[in-house]
Amino acid sequence: MLKETVNVSKWLEPQARFERIRFEALRRFGPKLCDLSYANAYDGPSDQLRQILHDAVDSERSLGFQYTPYGGATLTRRRIAESIRPVHDLPWHWEDVILTPGAMAALNVAFRAVKEQEGDEVIVVSPCWLDYPLYLENLGLKPVFVPVESKSMRIDLKAIEQAMTPTTRAIIFSQPANPSGVLFEERELRALSEMLRSAPSQPTLISDECHRDFVFDPHRFVSPAQFWEKTLVVYSFGKKLFLQGQRIGYLAVSPRHERRIELRQSAVQLCRTMGFCTPTALMQRAIPETLKMELDLQPIERRRQRLIETLPGLGYALRPSDATLFLYPRVPNRDAWFWTEKFASLGLLVLPSDVFHHEGHFRLSLTATDEMIDRALPIFAQALSEVRLGAEAEGRE
Ligand SMILES: Cc1ncc(COP(=O)(O)O)c(C=O)c1O
């Protein structure tokens, strides 16, 4: 065990506990396991993407696989900047876009860039993506959790206002939200921006947009970057392209940010200082072609629909997701770990809400195969009936 200089173990433990459950379930069920936990795309990337990757490998430029500059290859940054201008309605310049090996690195760079002093605070809207507090703690920043409104799962502006202090440097949330699947609305984001503008420390907004390509009708993605100048956008190509292991994403500094030039320079330096370097040369070369690809949402939408229609009838209350690769049902009773272990004992993997610093829910990933979902539905029913029978036998219900 490494000797810890900062106390990150409490943020590492929930996922480590889940990994032990996963390992045991894999050992017991092997390929029969229904894995609805992580967003691993069991269908794999599309044929079109495989062809783009082949073409990138076959290209004959002799320096094609050598180091690229910190921040990434200019051509790739330029193409990305062009492609996101209509997404945010902002005049992105290629230097605003700093390429990183996935969103994890971009998040670390963003957090480090907003830090002024040890112990500066960052508001984390929870439930949240699992490793935000881990990174913050490791960087000497203090995560301040502000839960969403418990019923609607929407952002709680009053609670955010109350949590802000003169040392609040940033606020982070994912839009659309992982794990809840909620897409915040324009009016909420506008109101949040107004609040940030009038706050004493004028915090930076870190908008994690890894799931913005997965939005279901009639919802529409809106980025907070459209309303608050001090926004840093974090994005990963891993989700849209279904190749999370290939590690390419970016941090983008809003063109309207008053410290735009300084921040984008320091982000490039931080990629070096923190040792993240750049995404691989191969992926940087492939990305411009992938930007032209249309995402086929049908398989995700089909699985989402199936689960939304079936789970409530089986006894699992559910707020239909607006977006993302996930559904986030409530647990019927007891805690989320109890249900995660129960499902795993029957051959079904889900992620408990504790991993997302939240209670009373579990997350299902729609990247499992249709066949896994077919097999998972009777397991949901069986788990609940076994628990009810067990409780009756003990005279508890
Ligand atoms: C909201 C969110 N942020 C960040 C990440 C990390 O992305 P990457 O694997 O590209 O580093 C993920 C991945 O699951 C995510 O869902």
Side-chain angles (χ1 to χ4, degrees):
M1 259 303 199
L2 281 178
K3 193 164 181 300
E4 274 181 19
T5 48
V6 282
N7 182 16
V8 290
S9 42
K10 63 175 181 288
W11 307 121
L12 290 168
E13 182 44 32
Q15 198 192 8
R17 178 169 171 187
F18 172 73
E19 279 300 306
R20 292 192 288 274
I21 296 171
R22 191 170 79 96
F23 184 78
E24 176 55 22
L26 265 173
R27 200 188 56 76
R28 264 186 77 188
F29 295 95
K32 293 217 175 84
L33 188 67
C34 304
D35 182 4
L36 276 64
S37 60
Y38 296 127
N40 288 319
Y42 278 90
D43 289 341
S46 66
D47 291 343
Q48 190 185 2
L49 179 60
R50 284 175 199 276
Q51 191 55 52
I52 291 174
L53 293 175
H54 276 294
D55 293 347
V57 171
D58 288 344
S59 144
E60 280 177 4
R61 273 176 289 159
S62 58
L63 288 177
F65 297 110
Q66 304 306 308
Y67 285 121
T68 57
Y70 289 107
T74 306
L75 177 78
T76 312
R77 294 169 75 182
R78 199 184 294 284
R79 292 287 170 269
I80 294 171
E82 288 161 5
S83 78
I84 58 177
R85 278 177 205 150
V87 176
H88 302 91
D89 197 17
L90 286 175
W92 296 105
H93 182 266
W94 67 266
E95 283 178 286
D96 299 325
V97 178
I98 293 96
L99 300 187
T100 54
M104 296 182 196
L107 286 164
N108 272 283
V109 169
F111 292 154
R112 183 64 192 84
V114 298
K115 178 179 171 182
E116 291 178 19
Q117 288 183 23
E118 265 325 272
D120 276 350
E121 295 178 358
V122 173
I123 291 180
V124 179
V125 176
S126 62
C128 65
W129 184 65
L130 62 171
D131 283 343
Y132 295 159
L134 172 71
Y135 299 157
L136 291 168
E137 191 94 42
N138 185 50
L139 291 167
L141 289 153
K142 183 175 164 208
V144 177
F145 289 102
V146 176
V148 291
E149 284 168 5
S150 61
K151 265 217 172 118
S152 66
M153 294 253 171
R154 308 207 73 86
I155 212 153
D156 186 341
L157 291 176
K158 265 220 173 83
I160 292 175
E161 191 164 27
Q162 279 164 6
M164 278 195 289
T165 72
T167 61
T168 304
R169 295 289 160 239
I171 168 167
I172 174 138
F173 54 86
S174 50
Q175 161 72 344
N178 175 8
S180 68
V182 173
L183 191 65
F184 301 123
E185 286 171 7
E186 181 169 331
R187 63 173 175 83
E188 293 169 296
L189 300 173
R190 277 187 191 276
L192 175 69
S193 310
E194 285 316 310
M195 187 198 295
L196 297 176
R197 191 165 284 120
S198 55
S201 64
Q202 297 224 321
T204 297
L205 197 157
I206 302 173
S207 177
D208 179 342
E209 301 180 1
C210 284
H211 293 273
R212 70 171 181 231
D213 304 297
F214 300 92
V215 176
F216 307 113
D217 279 343
H219 302 281
R220 197 176 65 84
F221 170 77
V222 184
S223 171
Q226 283 167 252
F227 313 115
W228 180 225
E229 295 76 13
K230 290 179 73 177
T231 296
L232 303 177
V233 170
V234 167
Y235 180 79
S236 167
F237 289 96
K239 308 290 171 212
K240 180 181 176 195
L241 303 178
F242 293 118
L243 36 56
Q244 282 95 326
Q246 291 303 325
R247 318 300 309 139
I248 183 161
Y250 57 79
L251 173 73
V253 179
S254 169
R256 298 212 189 109
H257 198 301
E258 60 194 9
R259 290 171 49 226
R260 174 193 199 183
I261 307 287
E262 177 200 332
L263 268 171
R264 64 194 198 189
Q265 282 168 354
S266 69
V268 170
Q269 279 171 7
L270 284 168
C271 289
R272 179 178 172 198
T273 313
M274 299 173 91
F276 297 126
C277 197
T278 60
T280 63
L282 175 64
M283 285 314 297
Q284 292 189 59
R285 206 196 275 177
I287 285 299
E289 280 305 306
T290 69
L291 294 171
K292 300 171 197 157
M293 285 173 56
E294 288 287 321
L295 177 64
D296 179 10
L297 270 183
Q298 264 185 21
I300 299 293
E301 174 72 81
R302 187 172 63 231
R303 293 168 201 150
R304 171 179 170 268
Q305 216 45 50
R306 181 112 201 273
L307 288 166
I308 289 174
E309 280 162 14
T310 321
L311 282 177
L314 297 177
Y316 299 90
L318 177 72
R319 178 202 179 282
S321 57
D322 311 328
T324 76
L325 294 167
F326 310 115
L327 287 171
Y328 198 53
R330 278 180 190 279
V331 292
N333 55 28
R334 316 245 194 138
D335 67 12
W337 282 116
F338 170 85
W339 287 97
T340 304
E341 280 166 10
K342 180 73 197 164
F343 294 143
S345 73
L346 299 171
L348 165 63
L349 274 184
V350 306
L351 268 176
S353 49
D354 302 66
V355 164
F356 305 105
H357 316 290
H358 192 225
E359 288 176 349
H361 294 72
F362 55 92
R363 192 192 78 176
L364 304 177
S365 176
L366 303 167
T367 51
T369 59
D370 292 310
E371 190 260 333
M372 278 186 194
I373 298 211
D374 285 343
R375 284 190 287 114
L377 290 174
I379 299 181
F380 283 116
Q382 186 185 348
L384 200 53
S385 97
E386 282 185 14
V387 171
R388 282 193 178 138
L389 285 174
E392 272 168 23
E394 287 173 28
R396 272 196 274 118
E397 268 184 13

